[in-house]
Amino acid sequence: MTQIEAKASVMEIDLYVGGKSSLEGVSNVTKLSSNENPFGPSPDAQEAVKRCVHELHRYPSSDHSALRNALAEIHGLKADNIICGAGSDEVITFLCQAYGGEGTEVLYTEHGFAMYRICALAAGSTPVVVKERDRVVDVDAILAGCTDKTKLVFIANPANPTGTMIGMAEIERLAAGIPDQALLVLDGAYAEYVEGYDGGAKLVEMRDNVVMTRTFSKIYGLGGLRIGWGYAPRAVIDVLNRVRGPFNVSNTALAAAEAAVRDTAYTEKCRADNARLRAWLSEALAEHGVPSDTSTANFVLARFADAEEAKACDAYLQKQGLLVRQVAGYGLPNCLRITVGDEPGCRQVAHAVGQFKAGAR
């Protein structure tokens, strides 16, 4: 029987592996592996979901106008420059579909989000990886890696899984220095965790070659509903809407996201609680001999002596019912990414790491 073959670039894709959510034989785990908001979504968002049960037979809005208008109002943006997707992953997919393809290159840094490579290959583009400097995006390395084939440059700011961040002056230098045919995509999945940071929205409005992506999966606690958005020049939005499915986001997700973004007091509380607990967790791990870079997100990248110690610590944590994330696939085999949980979760994982470092196995 003849085998029908997919295009070669698709067969180069390694399947995305998410953070563990369960342990065999353990009914009550503490999940700190997927950077979820431990406090859950806003009560307003939960109520919005409940109301949607009566409209499940209706198709959702195809233009997402209510959510786009809410985002524009809360963030001071232009609603016509916003596109919504099933998570920011889908907006990244749209960008690669629309601007990538055979003969093009998609550039990202060595510890960058796995979906950049996956979406590039799915579109037929060649992924190009450039070095970071001590787990921080290196603008000069990115500029040196660009060619006349570069169509998209992805950076996450704050970055995942490192938690590090570069300043706006460096981002502006990057936007000014990339080739004329390329778009700079600022992945702002964790932007809400940085007080006063707009994720690059103002830069989008200043230039015609910058796109910002955002998600409701992190601080807004709506990962299970799959909704995100992008902000881009109007010409780019017009292109992306040509590849977007007309009903790509559900009524439930749209309603919950609108309620969540309007509940600014709840978002601020989550940001403040995360900052307090992140500082505590970082200091507690450091006291046990486990350093980390200053994180600007909702996780800490704990560094161990080597890959063997990181794996051993992960195994010990699992025995205690604690799930964190191994990040060898991101080029960081000696590290574990630990989500900032609620206070009991943070204390539990810090205590267990301390026991491990003291010799427990």
Side-chain angles (χ1 to χ4, degrees):
M1 182 175 179
T2 303
Q3 182 176 355
I4 301 173
E5 296 184 354
K7 57 186 178 183
S9 63
V10 170
M11 300 312 295
E12 293 181 40
I13 295 173
D14 295 321
L15 296 180
Y16 182 85
V17 179
K20 285 186 176 182
S21 59
S22 62
L23 287 170
E24 187 175 351
V26 181
S27 59
N28 186 25
V29 300
T30 299
K31 186 184 177 189
L32 302 172
S33 57
S34 297
N35 299 342
E36 297 156 331
N37 184 339
F39 309 110
S42 154
D44 291 352
Q46 295 180 46
E47 285 302 317
V49 170
K50 293 175 184 177
R51 290 193 295 271
C52 285
V53 72
H54 304 293
E55 298 291 329
L56 295 180
H57 59 301
R58 303 295 186 192
Y59 278 101
S61 159
S62 62
D63 65 5
H64 312 144
S65 59
L67 177 56
R68 290 190 297 106
N69 287 332
L71 288 164
E73 177 187 334
I74 298 301
H75 294 298
L77 306 176
K78 300 173 183 176
D80 287 345
N81 291 52
I82 295 173
I83 186 170
C84 300
S88 55
D89 292 4
E90 190 178 36
V91 180
I92 291 169
T93 299
F94 295 157
L95 286 160
C96 290
Q97 281 182 307
Y99 293 96
E102 188 175 350
T104 69
E105 295 176 347
V106 173
L107 189 149
Y108 54 93
T109 62
E110 63 179 315
H111 305 308
F113 184 36
M115 290 305 298
Y116 305 151
R117 172 181 168 82
I118 290 172
C119 293
L121 288 169
S125 298
T126 300
V128 176
V129 182
V130 300
K131 289 289 187 181
E132 295 184 8
R133 183 181 300 166
D134 296 326
R135 299 167 300 282
V136 178
V137 167
D138 185 337
V139 169
D140 290 321
I142 293 174
L143 294 176
C146 288
T147 71
D148 59 1
K149 296 180 180 179
T150 304
K151 294 301 294 285
L152 294 162
V153 175
F154 285 100
I155 67 165
N157 204 47
N160 172 32
T162 63
T164 58
M165 187 175 180
I166 61 173
M168 190 51 65
E170 281 292 272
I171 294 174
E172 291 175 359
R173 184 165 73 88
L174 178 57
I178 61 175
D180 291 343
Q181 79 281 353
L183 284 174
L184 172 62
V185 184
L186 303 175
D187 181 346
Y190 299 92
E192 287 84 3
Y193 288 104
V194 183
E195 183 72 38
Y197 176 52
D198 72 353
K202 289 186 178 63
L203 188 61
V204 171
E205 296 177 350
M206 292 167 53
R207 303 190 60 90
D208 61 4
N209 68 339
V210 179
V211 176
M212 176 186 73
T213 64
R214 302 283 279 271
T215 186
F216 283 92
S217 297
K218 302 306 177 185
I219 203 167
Y220 294 111
L222 297 177
L225 288 181
R226 308 310 304 130
I227 183 158
W229 57 287
Y231 193 57
R234 193 68 190 87
V236 174
I237 293 295
D238 177 66
V239 169
L240 299 185
N241 275 324
R242 294 171 187 271
V243 297
R244 179 181 66 84
F247 306 113
N248 63 315
V249 180
S250 73
N251 272 328
T252 307
L254 289 166
E258 182 183 352
V261 77
R262 290 190 181 281
D263 192 353
T264 55
Y266 185 79
T267 304
E268 179 55 41
K269 182 182 185 304
C270 289
R271 177 166 45 242
D273 286 345
N274 177 78
R276 173 177 58 84
L277 291 167
R278 181 181 62 203
W280 184 91
L281 179 59
S282 299
E283 291 173 9
L285 292 174
E287 289 175 1
H288 294 309
V290 181
S292 60
D293 297 313
T294 299
S295 174
T296 53
N298 69 333
F299 56 85
V300 172
L301 185 69
R303 300 201 308 274
F304 294 84
D306 50 35
E308 183 179 353
E309 186 184 36
K311 287 182 179 179
C313 184
D314 182 44
Y316 179 75
L317 293 177
Q318 289 188 40
K319 291 179 182 177
Q320 313 308 308
L322 290 159
L323 293 174
V324 299
R325 182 74 181 269
Q326 288 194 36
V327 284
Y330 284 91
L332 295 160
N334 64 319
C335 299
L336 296 176
R337 192 191 67 188
I338 305 174
T339 302
V340 177
D342 58 13
E343 186 164 339
C346 288
R347 291 187 179 278
Q348 188 181 2
V349 75
H351 177 68
V353 171
Q355 287 182 316
F356 169 80
K357 292 293 287 185
R361 289 296 187 272

